[in-house]
């Protein structure tokens, strides 16, 4: 075998402690089945605090909205309701869930395209509506008028920001109103000023590019003046989410993997992936073409640090730090982190069913789960699972093995990941493979009932006087945790 190419996950103390409780994890999976999702509600409160520290350091006022769509868990949302966080919901179901989890309407914002029913419940309860389009504004106005509701507080979501330096034009988006059409939207907002109150302008760019985000933020600051000139008085700029997560512990492992993947695609080393899949790279007559379509899994500038970096950047045309501009104009800053707020907040457990070798010397580990139960591959995130052997078993001294992880769907394509995964030793049936740091989008965003396979149950795990305890996700209420000072 070639030298193992690990992509070790970055684990903070809470996840490290949980993964060290082998007996506890095996008991859980034994009782509740495989796959099993475990969420860590106390971690989300810690993550919130780190974002709030950026606000404090920069003297900014504003609000942190958790983008609920990153995870369906009740425990995470209820734990967050017990802090000073706010929540961003994107469906009628998420709105009901947030209200029922303890978020009062003044702490909720509705984003994304909305149905009339969704708009009615938002307006009826007094939730802030982040308007996706001019049509949505008209629907909301009609609902507020017909049902004689109090004026709705709205933000408008904009897209397609033009950079003045002609370098970046942010990519087209299916969401929001193009900046070009902002004036017309303001006409409508002026017309409807007794039914809707404009409190701010928003954007959410699905990119990791800091310059694109700086351009969008500076544009929003300029547009606030246009609103004021019309006699509207928004005070909020909402820069959305997309702060990202650093998944890997070691930059060298990531660099080695990506360069060895290129070599494998070019045929100068044995394949690292099933059928030498290139994740976007291809070999054209000995030349490497294409672009690596993977999340930059080692990403030290992520989460709160990314926010801080963005705020410290010079505004592209005004050449002053963005944080200073926000502060001088007394704008409140809203953010909507999803993935970054659930960093280190969960793990997916799966039981090993079978370990088999084929005639070509390849080793397959069949798990009691499928790719939709841990959709790392679909989201382009490559990181190693952690092997948790059965507590009663002495680990074989086989040394590291490279294996392919396959799922429980009778499909040739049911790979958990197409990458060869290196494990410290050969696993056995009954061992657990744990996929850490999967609370953001991977554990339940895509899960379904193909072949009548069960969807993972979800439990909340928390520490109580040094001991790990658990309950079903739906039974978790934050009455055991201390509440936060706001
Ligand atoms: C998905 C989404 C987010 C969260 O994005 P992350 O990358 O998970 O931080 C925030 N705001 C809106 C409008 C979204 O659609």
């Amino acid at each position: 075998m070639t030298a193992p190419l690990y992509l070790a996950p970055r684990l903070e103390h809470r996840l490290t402690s949980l993964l060290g409780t082998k007996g506890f994890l095996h008991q859980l999976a034994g009782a509740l089945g495989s796959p099993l999702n475990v969420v860590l509600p106390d971690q989300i409160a810690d993550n919130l605090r780190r974002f709030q520290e950026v606000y404090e350091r920069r003297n900014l006022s504003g609000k942190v909205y958790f983008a609920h769509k990153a995870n369906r868990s009740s425990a995470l949302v209820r734990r967050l309701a017990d802090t000073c966080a706010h929540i961003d919901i994107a469906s009628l179901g998420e709105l009901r869930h947030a209200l029922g989890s303890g978020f009062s309407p003044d702490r909720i914002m509705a984003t994304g395209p909305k149905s009339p029913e969704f708009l009615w419940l938002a307006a009826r309860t007094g939730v802030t509506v982040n308007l996706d389009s001019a049509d949505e504004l008209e629907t909301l106005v009609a609902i507020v008028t017909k049902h004689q509701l109090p004026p709705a507080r709205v933000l408008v979501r904009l897209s397609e920001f033009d950079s003045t330096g002609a370098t970046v034009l942010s990519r087209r988006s299916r969401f929001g109103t193009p900046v070009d059409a902002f004036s017309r939207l303001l006409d409508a907002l002026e017309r409807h000023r007794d039914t809707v109150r404009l409190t701010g302008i928003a954007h959410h760019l699905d990119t990791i590019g800091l310059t694109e985000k700086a351009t969008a933020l500076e544009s929003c600051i300029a547009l606030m003046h246009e609103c004021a000139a019309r006699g509207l008085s928004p005070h909020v700029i909402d820069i959305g989410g997309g702060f990202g997560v650093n998944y890997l512990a070691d930059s060298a492992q990531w660099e080695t993997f990506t360069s060895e993947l290129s070599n494998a695609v070019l045929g100068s080393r044995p394949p690292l992936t099933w059928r030498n899949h290139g994740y976007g790279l291809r070999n054209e007559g000995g030349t490497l073409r294409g672009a690596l379509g993977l999340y930059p899994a080692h990403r030290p500038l992520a989460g709160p640090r990314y926010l801080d970096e963005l705020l410290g950047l010079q505004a592209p045309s005004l050449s002053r730090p963005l944080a200073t501009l926000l502060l001088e104009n007394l704008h409140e800053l809203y953010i909507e982190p999803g993935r970054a707020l659930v960093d280190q907040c969960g793990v997916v457990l799966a039981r090993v069913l079978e370990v088999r070798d084929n005639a070509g010397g390849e080793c397959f580990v069949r798990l009691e789960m499928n790719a939709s139960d841990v959709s790392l591959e679909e989201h382009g995130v490559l990181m190693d699972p952690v092997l948790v052997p059965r507590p009663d078993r002495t680990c074989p001294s086989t040394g590291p093995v490279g294996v392919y992880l396959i799922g429980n769907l009778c499909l040739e394509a049911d790979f958990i990941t197409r990458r060869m995964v290196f494990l410290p030793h050969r696993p056995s049936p009954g061992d657990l493979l744990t996929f850490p740091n999967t609370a953001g989008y991977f554990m339940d965003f895509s899960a379904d009932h193909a072949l009548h396979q069960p969807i993972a149950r979800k439990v909340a795990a928390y520490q109580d006087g040094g001991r790990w305890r658990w309950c079903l996700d739906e039974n978790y209420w934050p009455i055991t945790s201390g509440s936060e000072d706001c």
Side-chain angles (χ1 to χ4, degrees), residues 114-188:
K114 302 162 203 75
S115 66
E117 295 80 1
F118 183 13
L119 283 172
W120 176 83
L121 187 60
R124 178 71 273 177
T125 53
V127 159
T128 295
V129 178
N130 193 326
L131 288 169
D132 202 61
S133 66
D135 282 353
E136 199 171 278
L137 170 61
E138 296 303 329
T139 311
L140 177 65
V141 165
I143 288 171
V144 170
T145 310
K146 177 170 174 217
H147 298 270
Q148 298 178 1
L149 301 176
R153 277 178 299 155
V154 300
L155 274 71
V156 290
R157 175 167 171 186
L158 301 176
S159 60
E160 297 176 24
F161 296 91
D162 215 341
S163 89
T164 39
T167 37
V168 266
L169 172 66
S170 77
R171 66 204 83 200
R172 303 236 173 275
S173 167
R174 289 185 294 114
F175 303 105
T177 302
V179 171
D180 286 357
F182 185 56
S183 256
R184 257 172 296 140
L185 196 59
L186 284 185
D187 295 343

Side-chain angles (χ1 to χ4, degrees), residues 55 98 156 163 210 219-220 230 286 306 318 323 348 399-400 402 424 484:
Y55 279 80
V156 290
S163 89
L210 273 166
S219 307
C220 285
R230 303 263 203 134
Y306 182 99
L318 293 173
V348 178
E484 268 38 59

Side-chain angles (χ1 to χ4, degrees), residues 49-62:
R49 221 168 291 125
R50 294 178 195 170
F51 273 105
Q52 286 167 335
E53 281 162 14
V54 176
Y55 279 80
E56 282 158 25
R57 200 161 43 242
R58 299 258 174 208
N59 282 318
L60 291 174
S61 61

Side-chain angles (χ1 to χ4, degrees), residues 355-400:
V355 183
R356 76 160 83 161
D357 303 288
N358 71 5
E362 290 161 321
C363 179
F364 295 88
V365 174
R366 191 158 60 86
L367 297 177
E368 199 169 4
M369 68 159 15
N370 57 65
S372 73
D373 293 313
V374 61
S375 51
L376 286 161
E377 184 85 1
E378 183 189 328
H379 289 89
V381 173
L382 301 187
M383 83 178 134
D384 291 342
V386 175
L387 178 60
V388 180
R390 272 173 30 200
D392 57 343
R393 199 166 73 88
T394 45
C395 297
S397 48
T398 57

